[in-house]
């Protein structure tokens, strides 16, 4: 389990990146929901925490593919593969992320340990 930050320090509409391997993005939506996805777009090495959240989707800042915050599914090319979704809990006011045991879908040239 990864400790992200205090809930009080992640405002609605904001996201943070956890420096895990691979990195994880935690999103606090305007509606007050918390989600965690693998932070790296499956098309190219771009941080989804730097993307734009609307409804229940995050748009990659590079090529506009969107990923569903609930399922990790990609909406359209250039991204074709989903990102992993992680469980988010709030324990004593602290955002905690339970990392998925599924194999991550990483873009070409990237491994869980970094660049090839």
């Amino acid at each position: 389990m990864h400790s992200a930050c205090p809930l009080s320090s992640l405002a609605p509409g904001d996201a943070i990146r956890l420096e895990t391997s691979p990195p994880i993005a935690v999103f606090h939506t305007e509606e007050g929901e918390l989600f965690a996805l693998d932070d790296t777009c499956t098309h190219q090495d771009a941080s989804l925490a730097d993307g734009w959240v609307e409804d229940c989707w995050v748009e990659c800042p590079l090529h506009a593919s969107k990923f569903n915050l609930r399922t990790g599914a990609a909406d359209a090319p250039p991204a074709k593969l989903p990102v992993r979704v992680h469980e988010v809990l709030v324990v004593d006011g602290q955002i905690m992320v339970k990392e998925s045991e599924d194999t991550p879908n990483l873009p070409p040239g990237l491994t869980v340990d970094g660049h090839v």
Side-chain angles (χ1 to χ4, degrees):
M1 185 107 53
H2 304 286
S3 177
C5 66
L7 177 59
S8 60
S9 69
L10 187 61
D14 285 350
I16 60 166
R17 175 183 168 113
L18 305 182
E19 296 300 331
T20 53
S21 265
I24 293 173
V26 179
F27 300 91
H28 191 182
T29 67
E30 294 288 345
E31 295 75 31
E33 294 183 278
L34 294 167
F35 296 98
L37 305 173
D38 278 348
D39 184 53
T40 308
C41 177
T42 58
H43 165 250
Q44 194 169 341
D45 189 5
S47 172
L48 296 178
D50 292 336
W52 301 273
V53 175
E54 188 174 343
D55 297 323
C56 201
W57 296 84
V58 60
E59 182 177 317
C60 176
L62 285 185
H63 298 110
S65 285
K66 294 180 185 174
F67 295 90
N68 186 290
L69 294 174
R70 293 185 195 287
T71 67
D75 74 332
K80 296 176 184 167
L81 298 173
V83 291
R84 292 186 306 169
V85 175
H86 309 284
E87 183 179 354
V88 181
L89 305 163
V90 177
V91 179
D92 296 326
Q94 185 76 16
I95 299 172
M96 304 295 290
V97 178
K98 182 178 180 188
E99 188 170 349
S100 170
E101 293 183 9
D102 294 339
T103 302
N105 291 317
L106 298 171
L110 199 63
T111 68
V112 294
D113 298 319
H115 291 78
V116 177

